[in-house]
Amino acid sequence: MLAPAWHFMNDLAGRLANRVQLTTDGHKAYLSAVEDNFGANIDYAMLNKIYGKPDESPEHRYSPAQCMGAKKALISGNPDFKHTSTSYAERQNLNIRMGNRRFTRLTNAFPKRLRTTNMLLRLR
């Protein structure tokens, strides 16, 4: 899973002209991807969310586990921890999923082929 993270960070680095603050989730692939594409020219923090044990009851079967807290880690540069958040990316992800219900796994319209998914994304 290193290649998608590397290509994503490569694309992002090519679009930015100035030094920025970047926050990622705890996905380890981002560590080398950010270093390779930004070097030391970024203020980078990682936000690891800590989740509780999922509720196993039938009525909560598909509900996510409760977020119990988050741990912020300095990776490089000098990020401002009061602005360390993944909320914007998470909200954009939710907007896309809610706007296109075929991406929810409990519907009949969930695309099973990558080619179909790519065509649907181009429509958005």
Side-chain angles (χ1 to χ4, degrees):
M1 292 306 293
L2 294 176
W6 190 91
H7 289 292
F8 175 63
M9 288 300 156
N10 183 264
D11 180 57
L12 182 62
R15 294 171 188 257
L16 299 173
N18 300 318
R19 185 182 184 102
V20 296
Q21 176 169 326
L22 176 70
T23 304
T24 63
D25 59 13
H27 189 44
K28 301 285 186 226
Y30 288 129
L31 291 171
S32 61
V34 171
E35 175 68 26
D36 290 349
N37 289 289
F38 288 96
N41 193 28
I42 193 162
D43 298 319
Y44 177 34
M46 187 174 276
L47 181 69
N48 289 308
K49 292 189 177 175
I50 302 161
Y51 291 96
K53 186 178 179 197
D55 189 353
E56 301 288 330
S57 64
E59 59 271 2
H60 295 107
R61 182 177 178 181
Y62 295 109
S63 299
Q66 182 178 4
C67 183
M68 306 301 283
K71 189 167 77 171
K72 298 176 181 181
L74 171 96
I75 305 299
S76 68
N78 188 25
D80 183 355
F81 280 118
K82 76 177 178 191
H83 295 295
T84 300
S85 173
T86 57
S87 296
Y88 293 109
E90 290 172 8
R91 183 62 203 199
Q92 184 62 29
N93 185 22
L94 178 63
N95 287 345
I96 289 172
R97 284 188 292 118
M98 296 306 288
N100 192 346
R101 293 294 296 168
R102 66 183 73 231
F103 285 109
T104 58
R105 70 184 180 118
L106 296 178
T107 65
N108 290 333
F110 184 78
K112 293 169 181 59
R113 292 181 10 196
L114 182 59
R115 183 170 183 253
T116 306
T117 302
N118 287 336
M119 287 188 299
L120 291 169
L121 282 172
R122 287 187 191 121
L123 293 174
R124 300 268 304 129

